Amino acid sequence: MSKYTIANYSAAVLALALALPALATERSRIIATGGVSTIEGTAGGGIVPMALLSGYGAREESGGAAFASMAQTPDYELSVLGASWSWRNRVELSVADQTLQHDTLSAALGVSDTSIRQSVVGLKVRLAGDILYTAMPQVSASVQYKKNHDFFIPAAAGAIADSDTDYNITATKVLLGGFFGYNLLLNGSARYTRANQGGLVGFGGDLNRSREWQAELSAGVFYNTHWLAGVEYREKPDNLSFAREDDWQTAFIAWFPNKHISAVAAWVDLGEVATLPDQDGWYVSLQGSF
């Protein structure tokens, strides 16, 4: 997907977000409690999901979000478009379309394919708790079905499947005044997966064919109701002898000017990706919510 298309879509998301106050009834949940959209479409941070559900719909309401994201490292560019919808703050459905541009890797391998596209469809259910109003954390369970549409390079790398399903159990809590008087966000998720680079390099491999549990963590501090600064860490499986797979990490700033728009800027460190080392760079995301 071209940068031109991403720019146009981002402009459409912004226009939608600005129009939402006139088009939609104000939902009941507090600002920022819908989070932002992960690169896989579900509500959370950038690379780590959270137990919260997208949008601002409460018990008798629905809500949702649409987003556009982009990550750039020295040798890769990831573009993501997606949307999610939640019902009564209980169930969330999400979709995301990812395109990874990998010109450097293609040149090194001497192949003509320069991009990999993957679709992700997710279902999340809030099981118990609330991020603000209960002593226990909000706990959710989710599944994500992933389909890789360009399997030539993943297959050459040793991946054994072009589609698979991830399973997550996630707990999230905001501790009011929990960090020197500022509100503290804590989040932990366990993912049962065999996805290589999140599925962009297929699933399973010659070193491991089975799913394994991987830890995903994030934390942040609210400077006020509109600004959140934090970090994320995502553990990765190591299934391919072709290339080791490093864990991902980010440091981010998120801005919530109102309930209808949010923006994220982050530094990302992906380590080595498909034999190319030192893949650190930037990430930006724009989301419209209701």
Side-chain angles (χ1 to χ4, degrees), residues 230-274:
V231 294
E232 299 175 292
Y233 174 82
R234 179 165 169 170
E235 189 179 20
K236 308 294 290 309
D238 213 6
N239 300 325
L240 303 172
S241 59
F242 166 74
R244 65 173 184 164
E245 185 162 349
D246 290 336
D247 298 340
W248 291 351
Q249 49 202 328
T250 77
F252 67 87
I253 296 176
W255 179 43
F256 304 89
N258 53 54
K259 289 187 180 182
H260 304 293
I261 189 169
S262 61
V264 178
W267 167 82
V268 299
D269 180 1
L270 308 182
E272 180 179 304
V273 178

mmCIF file of all heavy atoms in Angstrom, residues 230-274:
data_model
loop_
_atom_site.group_PDB
_atom_site.id
_atom_site.type_symbol
_atom_site.label_atom_id
_atom_site.label_comp_id
_atom_site.label_asym_id
_atom_site.label_seq_id
_atom_site.Cartn_x
_atom_site.Cartn_y
_atom_site.Cartn_z
ATOM 1 N N GLY A 230 4.293 6.156 27.967
ATOM 2 C CA GLY A 230 4.534 4.820 28.488
ATOM 3 C C GLY A 230 5.470 3.995 27.632
ATOM 4 O O GLY A 230 6.089 4.485 26.682
ATOM 5 N N VAL A 231 5.549 2.713 27.985
ATOM 6 C CA VAL A 231 6.418 1.759 27.295
ATOM 7 C C VAL A 231 5.646 0.459 27.082
ATOM 8 O O VAL A 231 4.683 0.163 27.792
ATOM 9 C CB VAL A 231 7.711 1.473 28.096
ATOM 10 C CG1 VAL A 231 8.578 2.723 28.189
ATOM 11 C CG2 VAL A 231 7.370 0.958 29.502
ATOM 12 N N GLU A 232 6.104 -0.314 26.088
ATOM 13 C CA GLU A 232 5.516 -1.628 25.798
ATOM 14 C C GLU A 232 6.646 -2.635 25.555
ATOM 15 O O GLU A 232 7.726 -2.276 25.086
ATOM 16 C CB GLU A 232 4.655 -1.582 24.538
ATOM 17 C CG GLU A 232 3.476 -0.645 24.581
ATOM 18 C CD GLU A 232 2.769 -0.606 23.237
ATOM 19 O OE1 GLU A 232 3.374 -0.090 22.265
ATOM 20 O OE2 GLU A 232 1.645 -1.110 23.144
ATOM 21 N N TYR A 233 6.333 -3.885 25.855
ATOM 22 C CA TYR A 233 7.280 -4.985 25.593
ATOM 23 C C TYR A 233 6.490 -6.197 25.119
ATOM 24 O O TYR A 233 5.496 -6.581 25.747
ATOM 25 C CB TYR A 233 8.068 -5.341 26.851
ATOM 26 C CG TYR A 233 8.956 -6.554 26.701
ATOM 27 C CD1 TYR A 233 10.215 -6.445 26.117
ATOM 28 C CD2 TYR A 233 8.525 -7.805 27.135
ATOM 29 C CE1 TYR A 233 11.041 -7.556 25.980
ATOM 30 C CE2 TYR A 233 9.335 -8.917 26.995
ATOM 31 C CZ TYR A 233 10.583 -8.786 26.414
ATOM 32 O OH TYR A 233 11.392 -9.894 26.269
ATOM 33 N N ARG A 234 6.924 -6.792 24.007
ATOM 34 C CA ARG A 234 6.229 -7.955 23.452
ATOM 35 C C ARG A 234 7.226 -9.076 23.191
ATOM 36 O O ARG A 234 8.104 -8.959 22.337
ATOM 37 C CB ARG A 234 5.499 -7.563 22.164
ATOM 38 C CG ARG A 234 4.764 -8.705 21.487
ATOM 39 C CD ARG A 234 3.786 -8.165 20.455
ATOM 40 N NE ARG A 234 3.246 -9.208 19.598
ATOM 41 C CZ ARG A 234 2.239 -9.035 18.747
ATOM 42 N NH1 ARG A 234 1.651 -7.851 18.655
ATOM 43 N NH2 ARG A 234 1.797 -10.033 17.996
ATOM 44 N N GLU A 235 7.092 -10.164 23.930
ATOM 45 C CA GLU A 235 7.940 -11.334 23.750
ATOM 46 C C GLU A 235 7.544 -12.060 22.468
ATOM 47 O O GLU A 235 6.367 -12.103 22.110
ATOM 48 C CB GLU A 235 7.786 -12.260 24.956
ATOM 49 C CG GLU A 235 8.767 -13.410 24.990
ATOM 50 C CD GLU A 235 8.595 -14.283 26.211
ATOM 51 O OE1 GLU A 235 7.503 -14.247 26.838
ATOM 52 O OE2 GLU A 235 9.540 -15.009 26.551
ATOM 53 N N LYS A 236 8.522 -12.647 21.780
ATOM 54 C CA LYS A 236 8.272 -13.285 20.494
ATOM 55 C C LYS A 236 8.773 -14.735 20.509
ATOM 56 O O LYS A 236 9.795 -15.047 21.118
ATOM 57 C CB LYS A 236 9.005 -12.525 19.384
ATOM 58 C CG LYS A 236 8.727 -11.027 19.367
ATOM 59 C CD LYS A 236 7.310 -10.689 19.021
ATOM 60 C CE LYS A 236 7.045 -11.003 17.557
ATOM 61 N NZ LYS A 236 8.081 -10.386 16.691
ATOM 62 N N PRO A 237 8.084 -15.628 19.799
ATOM 63 C CA PRO A 237 8.587 -17.000 19.652
ATOM 64 C C PRO A 237 9.770 -17.045 18.696
ATOM 65 O O PRO A 237 10.016 -16.086 17.948
ATOM 66 C CB PRO A 237 7.381 -17.754 19.076
ATOM 67 C CG PRO A 237 6.623 -16.702 18.330
ATOM 68 C CD PRO A 237 6.801 -15.422 19.101
ATOM 69 N N ASP A 238 10.518 -18.133 18.722
ATOM 70 C CA ASP A 238 11.688 -18.285 17.855
ATOM 71 C C ASP A 238 11.531 -19.609 17.106
ATOM 72 O O ASP A 238 12.011 -20.651 17.534
ATOM 73 C CB ASP A 238 12.964 -18.285 18.700
ATOM 74 C CG ASP A 238 14.142 -17.648 17.988
ATOM 75 O OD1 ASP A 238 13.948 -17.113 16.884
ATOM 76 O OD2 ASP A 238 15.259 -17.692 18.526
ATOM 77 N N ASN A 239 10.846 -19.562 15.968
ATOM 78 C CA ASN A 239 10.451 -20.781 15.262
ATOM 79 C C ASN A 239 11.306 -21.129 14.056
ATOM 80 O O ASN A 239 11.238 -22.256 13.559
ATOM 81 C CB ASN A 239 8.999 -20.641 14.770
ATOM 82 C CG ASN A 239 8.009 -20.419 15.902
ATOM 83 O OD1 ASN A 239 8.171 -20.966 16.992
ATOM 84 N ND2 ASN A 239 6.993 -19.618 15.652
ATOM 85 N N LEU A 240 12.109 -20.186 13.565
ATOM 86 C CA LEU A 240 12.800 -20.359 12.278
ATOM 87 C C LEU A 240 14.315 -20.357 12.455
ATOM 88 O O LEU A 240 14.871 -19.441 13.065
ATOM 89 C CB LEU A 240 12.412 -19.226 11.317
ATOM 90 C CG LEU A 240 10.917 -19.058 11.013
ATOM 91 C CD1 LEU A 240 10.689 -17.775 10.216
ATOM 92 C CD2 LEU A 240 10.399 -20.275 10.250
ATOM 93 N N SER A 241 14.985 -21.353 11.881
ATOM 94 C CA SER A 241 16.449 -21.339 11.877
ATOM 95 C C SER A 241 16.998 -20.325 10.883
ATOM 96 O O SER A 241 18.147 -19.891 10.994
ATOM 97 C CB SER A 241 16.989 -22.738 11.543
ATOM 98 O OG SER A 241 16.523 -23.175 10.275
ATOM 99 N N PHE A 242 16.166 -19.901 9.914
ATOM 100 C CA PHE A 242 16.568 -18.908 8.923
ATOM 101 C C PHE A 242 17.002 -17.610 9.582
ATOM 102 O O PHE A 242 17.969 -16.968 9.165
ATOM 103 C CB PHE A 242 15.397 -18.647 7.972
ATOM 104 C CG PHE A 242 15.546 -17.420 7.112
ATOM 105 C CD1 PHE A 242 16.418 -17.416 6.037
ATOM 106 C CD2 PHE A 242 14.812 -16.282 7.376
ATOM 107 C CE1 PHE A 242 16.554 -16.291 5.243
ATOM 108 C CE2 PHE A 242 14.941 -15.150 6.591
ATOM 109 C CZ PHE A 242 15.822 -15.158 5.521
ATOM 110 N N ALA A 243 16.310 -17.200 10.633
ATOM 111 C CA ALA A 243 16.625 -15.945 11.307
ATOM 112 C C ALA A 243 16.039 -15.968 12.710
ATOM 113 O O ALA A 243 14.899 -16.382 12.903
ATOM 114 C CB ALA A 243 16.052 -14.763 10.534
ATOM 115 N N ARG A 244 16.824 -15.527 13.673
ATOM 116 C CA ARG A 244 16.302 -15.421 15.035
ATOM 117 C C ARG A 244 15.262 -14.307 15.079
ATOM 118 O O ARG A 244 15.227 -13.415 14.228
ATOM 119 C CB ARG A 244 17.424 -15.121 16.018
ATOM 120 C CG ARG A 244 18.076 -13.765 15.800
ATOM 121 C CD ARG A 244 19.059 -13.441 16.897
ATOM 122 N NE ARG A 244 19.617 -12.103 16.744
ATOM 123 C CZ ARG A 244 20.253 -11.461 17.722
ATOM 124 N NH1 ARG A 244 20.402 -12.031 18.898
ATOM 125 N NH2 ARG A 244 20.747 -10.256 17.509
ATOM 126 N N GLU A 245 14.407 -14.365 16.103
ATOM 127 C CA GLU A 245 13.349 -13.366 16.235
ATOM 128 C C GLU A 245 13.484 -12.670 17.577
ATOM 129 O O GLU A 245 13.327 -13.286 18.629
ATOM 130 C CB GLU A 245 11.969 -14.014 16.103
ATOM 131 C CG GLU A 245 10.838 -13.020 16.111
ATOM 132 C CD GLU A 245 9.545 -13.607 15.546
ATOM 133 O OE1 GLU A 245 9.583 -14.705 14.972
ATOM 134 O OE2 GLU A 245 8.501 -12.945 15.675
ATOM 135 N N ASP A 246 13.810 -11.389 17.542
ATOM 136 C CA ASP A 246 13.972 -10.612 18.765
ATOM 137 C C ASP A 246 12.621 -10.124 19.273
ATOM 138 O O ASP A 246 11.652 -9.988 18.517
ATOM 139 C CB ASP A 246 14.872 -9.401 18.506
ATOM 140 C CG ASP A 246 16.322 -9.804 18.277
ATOM 141 O OD1 ASP A 246 16.718 -10.884 18.753
ATOM 142 O OD2 ASP A 246 17.054 -9.035 17.629
ATOM 143 N N ASP A 247 12.572 -9.818 20.569
ATOM 144 C CA ASP A 247 11.375 -9.243 21.157
ATOM 145 C C ASP A 247 11.213 -7.792 20.678
ATOM 146 O O ASP A 247 12.184 -7.136 20.291
ATOM 147 C CB ASP A 247 11.452 -9.287 22.681
ATOM 148 C CG ASP A 247 11.534 -10.715 23.206
ATOM 149 O OD1 ASP A 247 11.166 -11.647 22.458
ATOM 150 O OD2 ASP A 247 11.970 -10.901 24.358
ATOM 151 N N TRP A 248 9.959 -7.303 20.724
ATOM 152 C CA TRP A 248 9.660 -5.929 20.319
ATOM 153 C C TRP A 248 9.483 -5.063 21.558
ATOM 154 O O TRP A 248 9.034 -5.529 22.608
ATOM 155 C CB TRP A 248 8.350 -5.876 19.531
ATOM 156 C CG TRP A 248 8.398 -6.510 18.179
ATOM 157 C CD1 TRP A 248 9.497 -6.966 17.509
ATOM 158 C CD2 TRP A 248 7.268 -6.771 17.324
ATOM 159 N NE1 TRP A 248 9.140 -7.489 16.288
ATOM 160 C CE2 TRP A 248 7.784 -7.370 16.149
ATOM 161 C CE3 TRP A 248 5.906 -6.538 17.427
ATOM 162 C CZ2 TRP A 248 6.953 -7.754 15.089
ATOM 163 C CZ3 TRP A 248 5.085 -6.912 16.385
ATOM 164 C CH2 TRP A 248 5.602 -7.508 15.223
ATOM 165 N N GLN A 249 9.817 -3.777 21.413
ATOM 166 C CA GLN A 249 9.580 -2.830 22.494
ATOM 167 C C GLN A 249 9.361 -1.431 21.932
ATOM 168 O O GLN A 249 9.861 -1.111 20.852
ATOM 169 C CB GLN A 249 10.734 -2.826 23.491
ATOM 170 C CG GLN A 249 12.112 -2.713 22.882
ATOM 171 C CD GLN A 249 13.185 -3.228 23.817
ATOM 172 O OE1 GLN A 249 13.065 -3.118 25.041
ATOM 173 N NE2 GLN A 249 14.234 -3.781 23.261
ATOM 174 N N THR A 250 8.587 -0.634 22.656
ATOM 175 C CA THR A 250 8.310 0.728 22.228
ATOM 176 C C THR A 250 8.325 1.663 23.442
ATOM 177 O O THR A 250 8.132 1.239 24.583
ATOM 178 C CB THR A 250 6.931 0.870 21.549
ATOM 179 O OG1 THR A 250 5.895 0.872 22.532
ATOM 180 C CG2 THR A 250 6.686 -0.239 20.545
ATOM 181 N N ALA A 251 8.545 2.944 23.159
ATOM 182 C CA ALA A 251 8.302 4.030 24.109
ATOM 183 C C ALA A 251 7.403 5.016 23.392
ATOM 184 O O ALA A 251 7.717 5.450 22.280
ATOM 185 C CB ALA A 251 9.606 4.688 24.537
ATOM 186 N N PHE A 252 6.265 5.389 23.993
ATOM 187 C CA PHE A 252 5.236 6.118 23.240
ATOM 188 C C PHE A 252 4.677 7.301 24.022
ATOM 189 O O PHE A 252 4.776 7.379 25.257
ATOM 190 C CB PHE A 252 4.092 5.179 22.868
ATOM 191 C CG PHE A 252 3.294 4.686 24.051
ATOM 192 C CD1 PHE A 252 2.222 5.423 24.553
ATOM 193 C CD2 PHE A 252 3.613 3.485 24.677
ATOM 194 C CE1 PHE A 252 1.493 4.987 25.641
ATOM 195 C CE2 PHE A 252 2.889 3.039 25.778
ATOM 196 C CZ PHE A 252 1.825 3.805 26.262
ATOM 197 N N ILE A 253 4.057 8.204 23.278
ATOM 198 C CA ILE A 253 3.233 9.282 23.823
ATOM 199 C C ILE A 253 1.891 9.233 23.097
ATOM 200 O O ILE A 253 1.853 9.198 21.864
ATOM 201 C CB ILE A 253 3.884 10.661 23.634
ATOM 202 C CG1 ILE A 253 5.197 10.747 24.418
ATOM 203 C CG2 ILE A 253 2.932 11.768 24.098
ATOM 204 C CD1 ILE A 253 5.938 12.056 24.207
ATOM 205 N N ALA A 254 0.809 9.218 23.862
ATOM 206 C CA ALA A 254 -0.539 9.206 23.292
ATOM 207 C C ALA A 254 -1.274 10.465 23.712
ATOM 208 O O ALA A 254 -1.172 10.910 24.857
ATOM 209 C CB ALA A 254 -1.309 7.967 23.761
ATOM 210 N N TRP A 255 -2.032 11.020 22.766
ATOM 211 C CA TRP A 255 -2.788 12.262 22.997
ATOM 212 C C TRP A 255 -4.262 12.011 22.740
ATOM 213 O O TRP A 255 -4.640 11.494 21.691
ATOM 214 C CB TRP A 255 -2.263 13.346 22.056
ATOM 215 C CG TRP A 255 -2.946 14.669 22.151
ATOM 216 C CD1 TRP A 255 -3.312 15.330 23.295
ATOM 217 C CD2 TRP A 255 -3.338 15.519 21.065
ATOM 218 N NE1 TRP A 255 -3.898 16.533 22.991
ATOM 219 C CE2 TRP A 255 -3.927 16.681 21.620
ATOM 220 C CE3 TRP A 255 -3.228 15.413 19.674
ATOM 221 C CZ2 TRP A 255 -4.420 17.709 20.838
ATOM 222 C CZ3 TRP A 255 -3.718 16.443 18.887
ATOM 223 C CH2 TRP A 255 -4.303 17.582 19.466
ATOM 224 N N PHE A 256 -5.104 12.386 23.707
ATOM 225 C CA PHE A 256 -6.556 12.245 23.611
ATOM 226 C C PHE A 256 -7.184 13.628 23.786
ATOM 227 O O PHE A 256 -7.608 13.983 24.894
ATOM 228 C CB PHE A 256 -7.077 11.299 24.698
ATOM 229 C CG PHE A 256 -6.450 9.926 24.689
ATOM 230 C CD1 PHE A 256 -5.291 9.677 25.417
ATOM 231 C CD2 PHE A 256 -7.022 8.894 23.964
ATOM 232 C CE1 PHE A 256 -4.708 8.416 25.419
ATOM 233 C CE2 PHE A 256 -6.454 7.631 23.962
ATOM 234 C CZ PHE A 256 -5.289 7.387 24.683
ATOM 235 N N PRO A 257 -7.249 14.427 22.732
ATOM 236 C CA PRO A 257 -7.819 15.775 22.887
ATOM 237 C C PRO A 257 -9.296 15.760 23.224
ATOM 238 O O PRO A 257 -9.798 16.678 23.874
ATOM 239 C CB PRO A 257 -7.562 16.422 21.526
ATOM 240 C CG PRO A 257 -7.427 15.279 20.576
ATOM 241 C CD PRO A 257 -6.784 14.182 21.366
ATOM 242 N N ASN A 258 -10.012 14.731 22.768
ATOM 243 C CA ASN A 258 -11.423 14.547 23.099
ATOM 244 C C ASN A 258 -11.760 13.081 22.875
ATOM 245 O O ASN A 258 -10.873 12.266 22.594
ATOM 246 C CB ASN A 258 -12.321 15.466 22.259
ATOM 247 C CG ASN A 258 -12.059 15.320 20.770
ATOM 248 O OD1 ASN A 258 -12.098 14.207 20.216
ATOM 249 N ND2 ASN A 258 -11.770 16.431 20.094
ATOM 250 N N LYS A 259 -13.040 12.722 22.995
ATOM 251 C CA LYS A 259 -13.438 11.324 22.853
ATOM 252 C C LYS A 259 -13.472 10.847 21.405
ATOM 253 O O LYS A 259 -13.668 9.652 21.158
ATOM 254 C CB LYS A 259 -14.814 11.087 23.482
ATOM 255 C CG LYS A 259 -14.834 11.144 24.999
ATOM 256 C CD LYS A 259 -16.202 10.736 25.512
ATOM 257 C CE LYS A 259 -16.278 10.782 27.017
ATOM 258 N NZ LYS A 259 -17.601 10.331 27.530
ATOM 259 N N HIS A 260 -13.272 11.749 20.461
ATOM 260 C CA HIS A 260 -13.466 11.386 19.066
ATOM 261 C C HIS A 260 -12.178 11.230 18.266
ATOM 262 O O HIS A 260 -12.215 10.766 17.126
ATOM 263 C CB HIS A 260 -14.364 12.423 18.390
ATOM 264 C CG HIS A 260 -15.677 12.587 19.088
ATOM 265 N ND1 HIS A 260 -16.625 11.599 19.127
ATOM 266 C CD2 HIS A 260 -16.175 13.622 19.810
ATOM 267 C CE1 HIS A 260 -17.664 12.019 19.836
ATOM 268 N NE2 HIS A 260 -17.412 13.240 20.258
ATOM 269 N N ILE A 261 -11.053 11.601 18.852
ATOM 270 C CA ILE A 261 -9.800 11.496 18.126
ATOM 271 C C ILE A 261 -8.660 11.214 19.097
ATOM 272 O O ILE A 261 -8.679 11.675 20.248
ATOM 273 C CB ILE A 261 -9.516 12.779 17.311
ATOM 274 C CG1 ILE A 261 -8.316 12.571 16.388
ATOM 275 C CG2 ILE A 261 -9.307 13.983 18.218
ATOM 276 C CD1 ILE A 261 -8.144 13.696 15.380
ATOM 277 N N SER A 262 -7.695 10.433 18.654
ATOM 278 C CA SER A 262 -6.481 10.213 19.430
ATOM 279 C C SER A 262 -5.318 10.017 18.469
ATOM 280 O O SER A 262 -5.502 9.611 17.312
ATOM 281 C CB SER A 262 -6.620 9.000 20.354
ATOM 282 O OG SER A 262 -6.857 7.821 19.606
ATOM 283 N N ALA A 263 -4.127 10.312 18.950
ATOM 284 C CA ALA A 263 -2.923 10.177 18.140
ATOM 285 C C ALA A 263 -1.808 9.608 19.000
ATOM 286 O O ALA A 263 -1.731 9.893 20.202
ATOM 287 C CB ALA A 263 -2.505 11.526 17.554
ATOM 288 N N VAL A 264 -0.952 8.802 18.379
ATOM 289 C CA VAL A 264 0.162 8.169 19.071
ATOM 290 C C VAL A 264 1.430 8.374 18.263
ATOM 291 O O VAL A 264 1.430 8.224 17.036
ATOM 292 C CB VAL A 264 -0.077 6.652 19.267
ATOM 293 C CG1 VAL A 264 1.125 6.011 19.955
ATOM 294 C CG2 VAL A 264 -1.336 6.399 20.068
ATOM 295 N N ALA A 265 2.514 8.707 18.943
ATOM 296 C CA ALA A 265 3.851 8.733 18.340
ATOM 297 C C ALA A 265 4.763 7.888 19.222
ATOM 298 O O ALA A 265 4.674 7.953 20.456
ATOM 299 C CB ALA A 265 4.376 10.158 18.233
ATOM 300 N N ALA A 266 5.629 7.078 18.594
ATOM 301 C CA ALA A 266 6.447 6.163 19.381
ATOM 302 C C ALA A 266 7.790 5.905 18.721
ATOM 303 O O ALA A 266 7.942 6.002 17.496
ATOM 304 C CB ALA A 266 5.715 4.831 19.586
ATOM 305 N N TRP A 267 8.756 5.581 19.561
ATOM 306 C CA TRP A 267 10.013 4.984 19.116
ATOM 307 C C TRP A 267 9.855 3.475 19.241
ATOM 308 O O TRP A 267 9.334 2.986 20.249
ATOM 309 C CB TRP A 267 11.173 5.459 19.988
ATOM 310 C CG TRP A 267 12.435 4.667 19.802
ATOM 311 C CD1 TRP A 267 13.371 4.800 18.824
ATOM 312 C CD2 TRP A 267 12.894 3.591 20.645
ATOM 313 N NE1 TRP A 267 14.390 3.897 18.991
ATOM 314 C CE2 TRP A 267 14.122 3.135 20.100
ATOM 315 C CE3 TRP A 267 12.400 2.976 21.792
ATOM 316 C CZ2 TRP A 267 14.850 2.099 20.671
ATOM 317 C CZ3 TRP A 267 13.120 1.937 22.361
ATOM 318 C CH2 TRP A 267 14.333 1.508 21.795
ATOM 319 N N VAL A 268 10.261 2.730 18.216
ATOM 320 C CA VAL A 268 10.122 1.275 18.227
ATOM 321 C C VAL A 268 11.476 0.617 18.053
ATOM 322 O O VAL A 268 12.339 1.113 17.319
ATOM 323 C CB VAL A 268 9.149 0.788 17.123
ATOM 324 C CG1 VAL A 268 7.774 1.368 17.330
ATOM 325 C CG2 VAL A 268 9.666 1.145 15.732
ATOM 326 N N ASP A 269 11.667 -0.491 18.730
ATOM 327 C CA ASP A 269 12.878 -1.306 18.595
ATOM 328 C C ASP A 269 12.425 -2.741 18.324
ATOM 329 O O ASP A 269 11.909 -3.413 19.213
ATOM 330 C CB ASP A 269 13.716 -1.229 19.864
ATOM 331 C CG ASP A 269 14.994 -2.058 19.778
ATOM 332 O OD1 ASP A 269 15.246 -2.678 18.722
ATOM 333 O OD2 ASP A 269 15.743 -2.097 20.768
ATOM 334 N N LEU A 270 12.605 -3.187 17.080
ATOM 335 C CA LEU A 270 12.187 -4.532 16.676
ATOM 336 C C LEU A 270 13.341 -5.516 16.636
ATOM 337 O O LEU A 270 13.147 -6.683 16.304
ATOM 338 C CB LEU A 270 11.516 -4.468 15.293
ATOM 339 C CG LEU A 270 10.384 -3.457 15.136
ATOM 340 C CD1 LEU A 270 9.784 -3.545 13.735
ATOM 341 C CD2 LEU A 270 9.315 -3.651 16.204
ATOM 342 N N GLY A 271 14.550 -5.045 16.939
ATOM 343 C CA GLY A 271 15.717 -5.930 16.915
ATOM 344 C C GLY A 271 16.045 -6.391 15.514
ATOM 345 O O GLY A 271 15.967 -5.631 14.546
ATOM 346 N N GLU A 272 16.385 -7.666 15.395
ATOM 347 C CA GLU A 272 16.674 -8.250 14.085
ATOM 348 C C GLU A 272 15.390 -8.800 13.474
ATOM 349 O O GLU A 272 14.634 -9.514 14.122
ATOM 350 C CB GLU A 272 17.691 -9.381 14.220
ATOM 351 C CG GLU A 272 18.061 -10.044 12.898
ATOM 352 C CD GLU A 272 19.100 -11.143 13.053
ATOM 353 O OE1 GLU A 272 20.185 -10.857 13.603
ATOM 354 O OE2 GLU A 272 18.823 -12.290 12.648
ATOM 355 N N VAL A 273 15.131 -8.447 12.208
ATOM 356 C CA VAL A 273 13.934 -8.913 11.506
ATOM 357 C C VAL A 273 14.372 -9.573 10.205
ATOM 358 O O VAL A 273 14.913 -8.901 9.309
ATOM 359 C CB VAL A 273 12.952 -7.764 11.214
ATOM 360 C CG1 VAL A 273 11.742 -8.291 10.441
ATOM 361 C CG2 VAL A 273 12.509 -7.093 12.513
ATOM 362 N N ALA A 274 14.189 -10.888 10.103
ATOM 363 C CA ALA A 274 14.510 -11.651 8.885
ATOM 364 C C ALA A 274 15.934 -11.369 8.413
ATOM 365 O O ALA A 274 16.150 -10.987 7.255
ATOM 366 C CB ALA A 274 13.500 -11.347 7.789
#
